Amino acid sequence: MSLKSEFKFQLPEWLQIRQLDLPDGLVTDSQQMELAIELSRLNIEHGGGPFGAIIVDRDSDKVVAAGVNLVTTHNLSCAHAEMVAISMAQQNLDCFSLREHGNYQLVTSCEPCAMCFGAIPWSGVTRVICGATKADAEAIGFDEGPKPDAWIAALETRGIDVVTEIERTQAQAVLNKYSKMAGLVY
Amino acid sequence: MSLKSEFKFQLPEWLQIRQLDLPDGLVTDSQQMELAIELSRLNIEHGGGPFGAIIVDRDSDKVVAAGVNLVTTHNLSCAHAEMVAISMAQQNLDCFSLREHGNYQLVTSCEPCAMCFGAIPWSGVTRVICGATKADAEAIGFDEGPKPDAWIAALETRGIDVVTEIERTQAQAVLNKYSKMAGLVY
């Protein structure tokens, strides 16, 4: 077996186009969440998983990266929307911890799974905004993994603020739409 | 600010060369761990972090992927050795869950942090072999993150066997060497 030495990590074409024209001035948590949810909705329309995330500069309100779930389309179990958004932000800002660069927040259409929860402290974001809940994801068969019950306190102890259930109903509607489309649950 | 739409995820050149000539028939846990530790040692000699990991086919004992910590060299906080090895294995085997393809184990020179712990169930490996411990990593200033104390039981509940402290002394020696080199701790 010949082992690959590289692969191209590429956002889907529709997201490449969408991010050319991201709105400025998404000031409120709800406005930012609506964009993350829009990405989750567009992702299922293009054959991906029902999750979207963005990274926003807390000082300027500019979106510095966008991500969607690419697990099945890219054969990468680590490519959850949050991980994609974090990685693209670090590539865009040329740093491995966003905290070294400024004050950034992760806006995710669904609360993080065990892996993404563990990735948040390393990313350097200082705030996390979540839409749908663990219960919403589990209701359609997704597994959130072995995440500690006190995950919010664990992040807050590390200086990372967490806000949950922002535009939850809209975010949940995308999960439910995906479920009705009989999407692959993994 | 112009947002990137892709980046090349590439193993370091020395690892590309090393993986052209990986040994066959690393049958025992210790033999497999020695390769993961060798990669961690080579990585610090080439300016990376002190962590290495491989994915091994449990039926054939063939190494199907290798990874090292690429956080600082690639500006990717998610690029821990385990995440790199898992992602390269999925690219090499063309699947997003290794469990769908066969019976694979993750061999990592140091026990997983909170993020890599959370990534293990999604990867599809059925066994994890660890070298150095959390205490060894913390002793030189690394943070393992908010991982549950009962992390081994949490993986075993999900059908993933865990073995710890395999060739721990050798693995710990690389961490200590890195610390003496005044390597960046993150």
Side-chain angles (χ1 to χ4, degrees):
Chain A
M1 183 175 142
S2 153
L3 304 187
K4 290 180 185 165
S5 59
E6 63 180 56
F7 63 89
K8 193 158 71 168
F9 191 93
Q10 191 174 41
L11 296 178
E13 200 179 340
W14 66 265
L15 182 52
Q16 296 182 33
I17 295 167
R18 183 69 188 83
Q19 75 172 12
L20 291 175
D21 191 31
L22 290 174
D24 265 345
L26 298 176
V27 177
T28 68
D29 292 353
S30 284
Q31 288 171 328
Q32 294 176 13
M33 180 58 71
E34 279 168 4
L35 175 56
I37 295 169
E38 179 199 327
L39 299 183
S40 74
R41 189 183 304 114
L42 289 169
N43 201 40
I44 65 174
E45 289 171 8
H46 290 85
F51 304 100
I54 57 174
I55 304 283
V56 181
D57 183 334
R58 294 177 66 184
D59 298 320
S60 69
D61 297 316
K62 287 218 186 279
V63 178
V64 299
V68 290
N69 184 296
L70 302 175
V71 171
T72 60
T73 52
H74 286 51
N75 280 333
L76 286 170
S77 63
C78 301
H80 287 200
E82 298 94 321
M83 308 291 271
V84 174
I86 288 167
S87 298
M88 293 309 302
Q90 292 170 342
Q91 296 300 300
N92 287 328
L93 298 169
D94 210 23
C95 61
F96 67 84
S97 172
L98 300 175
R99 210 179 264 263
E100 303 302 311
H101 199 276
N103 202 10
Y104 295 91
Q105 62 192 14
L106 167 67
V107 184
T108 172
S109 70
C110 184
E111 78 174 59
C113 77
M115 170 181 70
C116 298
F117 157 69
I120 286 167
W122 310 156
S123 71
V125 298
T126 55
R127 190 159 179 263
V128 178
I129 304 174
C130 311
T133 66
K134 177 182 175 179
D136 298 335
E138 288 176 348
I140 65 157
F142 277 98
D143 180 356
E144 289 275 282
K147 187 171 61 166
D149 289 337
W151 67 278
I152 293 176
L155 292 179
E156 292 188 335
T157 300
R158 290 169 176 262
I160 302 163
D161 291 331
V162 179
V163 186
T164 59
E165 300 189 39
I166 301 297
E167 301 299 336
R168 176 183 175 186
T169 308
Q170 276 190 57
Q172 195 183 11
V174 177
L175 295 176
N176 292 340
K177 184 176 177 192
Y178 180 77
S179 180
K180 283 191 190 125
M181 289 161 68
L184 185 61
V185 171
Y186 41 89
Chain B
M1 183 176 141
S2 153
L3 304 188
K4 290 179 186 166
S5 59
E6 63 181 56
F7 64 90
K8 192 157 72 166
F9 190 93
Q10 190 173 42
L11 296 178
E13 199 179 340
W14 66 264
L15 182 51
Q16 295 182 33
I17 294 166
R18 183 70 188 85
Q19 75 173 11
L20 291 175
D21 191 30
L22 290 173
D24 266 344
L26 297 176
V27 177
T28 68
D29 291 353
S30 285
Q31 288 171 327
Q32 294 176 13
M33 181 58 71
E34 279 169 3
L35 176 56
I37 296 168
E38 178 199 328
L39 299 183
S40 73
R41 189 183 305 115
L42 289 168
N43 201 41
I44 65 174
E45 288 170 9
H46 290 85
F51 304 100
I54 56 174
I55 304 283
V56 181
D57 182 334
R58 295 177 66 184
D59 297 320
S60 69
D61 298 315
K62 287 217 186 280
V63 178
V64 299
V68 290
N69 184 295
L70 302 175
V71 171
T72 60
T73 52
H74 286 51
N75 280 334
L76 286 170
S77 63
C78 301
H80 286 198
E82 298 94 322
M83 307 292 271
V84 174
I86 288 167
S87 298
M88 293 309 304
Q90 291 169 342
Q91 296 300 300
N92 287 327
L93 298 170
D94 210 24
C95 60
F96 67 83
S97 172
L98 299 175
R99 211 180 265 263
E100 302 303 311
H101 198 276
N103 201 11
Y104 295 91
Q105 62 192 16
L106 168 66
V107 184
T108 172
S109 70
C110 185
E111 78 175 60
C113 78
M115 170 181 70
C116 297
F117 159 70
I120 286 168
W122 308 157
S123 72
V125 298
T126 54
R127 189 159 180 261
V128 179
I129 304 174
C130 309
T133 65
K134 176 182 176 181
D136 299 335
E138 287 175 347
I140 64 157
F142 278 97
D143 180 357
E144 288 275 282
K147 187 171 63 166
D149 290 335
W151 67 278
I152 294 176
L155 292 179
E156 292 189 336
T157 300
R158 288 167 177 265
I160 301 163
D161 291 330
V162 179
V163 186
T164 59
E165 299 189 41
I166 301 298
E167 300 300 334
R168 176 182 175 187
T169 307
Q170 276 190 58
Q172 196 183 10
V174 177
L175 295 176
N176 292 341
K177 185 176 176 192
Y178 180 77
S179 180
K180 282 190 192 128
M181 289 161 67
L184 186 62
V185 171
Y186 41 89

